[in-house]
Amino acid sequence: GENVGLHLPTLSVQEGDNSIINCAYSNSASDYFIWYKQESGKGPQFIIDIRSNMDKRQGQRVTVLLNKTVKHLSLQIAATQPGDSAVYFCAEKGSNTDKLIFGTGTRLQVFP
Amino acid sequence: SAVISQKPSRDICQRGTSLTIQCQVDSQVTMMFWYRQQPGQSLTLIATANQGSEATYESGFVIDKFPISRPNLTFSTLTVSNMSPEDSSIYLCSVMGYSGANVLTFGAGSRLTVL
């Protein structure tokens, strides 16, 4: 199947700084992308999504950017807080399927 | 979002035994999926649990090893059969279609350790 990969397995940031987590996807037919946050001992939680007809979407302190030309997705977290420490996964879905394919994950560590 | 309850939350199992994981959702959903998350890794889809019919398995997963039931729109089970240490993983139930939403929502997972 198609793989969704991440450039950085671990990202360490200082509290208050902005974080950027990157993801490369390989299936050009994917038209829906989601970022999930997984804290220790919990299932993944939805953060934000974006459809392929958009290149940017903003939520509360988070922004997702989609570059379809280079098949790249990023999650930006503003003013990173200790509670943001978790593993972040990107996931993609094609228009003709209900299945989500997940990337390898990036661990975000926030230091005081 | 959906409230998804998985049981057991964790278990330690002996090699060669089987364990059934239950997933209960607080409302009817259209789609239910089972994922596996091996230690330190991402999520891999095992199968789509189809209500009233056989599950649809992904490449590398077979019904004899991971039998799945879905008797109604709120409940599903995944059995891990004839376990070996390589089956030590977190198994996650997920649903789509809760309140019409198109977002995949996950349970907390069932962490299995096979000795």
Side-chain angles (χ1 to χ4, degrees):
Chain A
E2 299 287 352
N3 293 316
V4 178
L6 295 175
H7 299 304
L8 300 172
T10 303
L11 177 65
S12 299
V13 300
Q14 193 149 23
E15 182 178 357
D17 288 350
N18 297 331
S19 302
I20 300 176
I21 300 172
N22 296 303
C23 175
Y25 65 95
S26 58
N27 187 356
S28 57
S30 293
D31 66 352
Y32 180 57
F33 304 87
I34 308 177
W35 281 100
Y36 283 89
K37 172 186 180 183
Q38 187 176 28
E39 296 175 283
S40 181
K42 298 183 179 180
Q45 294 177 287
F46 172 88
I47 301 174
I48 191 168
D49 59 359
I50 189 168
R51 296 202 174 273
S52 59
N53 60 351
M54 303 173 68
D55 54 18
K56 180 180 180 179
R57 189 156 188 242
Q58 288 184 295
Q60 186 178 11
R61 279 201 310 117
V62 295
T63 301
V64 55
L65 299 177
L66 175 62
N67 185 331
K68 293 181 289 293
T69 302
V70 296
K71 288 184 276 189
H72 184 267
L73 192 70
S74 68
L75 176 70
Q76 299 179 358
I77 304 174
T80 312
Q81 303 169 0
D84 295 326
S85 294
V87 177
Y88 290 80
F89 294 98
C90 66
E92 62 173 329
K93 188 175 81 70
S95 59
N96 60 349
T97 179
D98 290 313
K99 298 184 294 187
L100 278 182
I101 299 174
F102 282 78
T104 53
T106 294
R107 180 174 299 279
L108 177 66
Q109 297 178 324
V110 183
F111 293 94
Chain B
S1 61
V3 176
I4 304 170
S5 302
Q6 275 189 244
K7 290 192 297 186
S9 59
R10 59 178 61 230
D11 206 340
I12 298 174
C13 309
Q14 296 299 316
R15 182 193 300 260
T17 63
S18 299
L19 182 79
T20 296
I21 302 166
Q22 298 181 358
C23 177
Q24 179 73 55
V25 191
D26 67 339
S27 185
Q28 294 184 347
V29 293
T30 53
M31 307 291 291
M32 294 183 79
F33 304 91
W34 286 97
Y35 282 81
R36 181 176 72 182
Q37 186 175 27
Q38 294 176 302
Q41 297 191 28
S42 185
L43 287 77
T44 302
L45 180 63
I46 298 172
T48 303
N50 300 310
Q51 193 266 327
S53 64
E54 190 173 289
T56 305
Y57 289 85
E58 297 300 304
S59 176
F61 297 96
V62 295
I63 188 171
D64 290 346
K65 176 67 176 178
F66 297 102
I68 288 170
S69 79
R70 190 178 173 194
N72 56 53
L73 294 176
T74 64
F75 185 78
S76 179
T77 67
L78 168 73
T79 299
V80 186
S81 304
N82 188 25
M83 286 184 284
S84 67
E86 291 70 35
D87 294 319
S88 297
S89 288
I90 300 172
Y91 293 87
L92 294 143
C93 172
S94 62
V95 305
M96 186 180 291
Y98 183 84
S99 297
N102 201 32
V103 173
L104 196 64
T105 304
F106 285 86
S110 299
R111 181 182 294 271
L112 302 188
T113 301
V114 185
L115 303 178

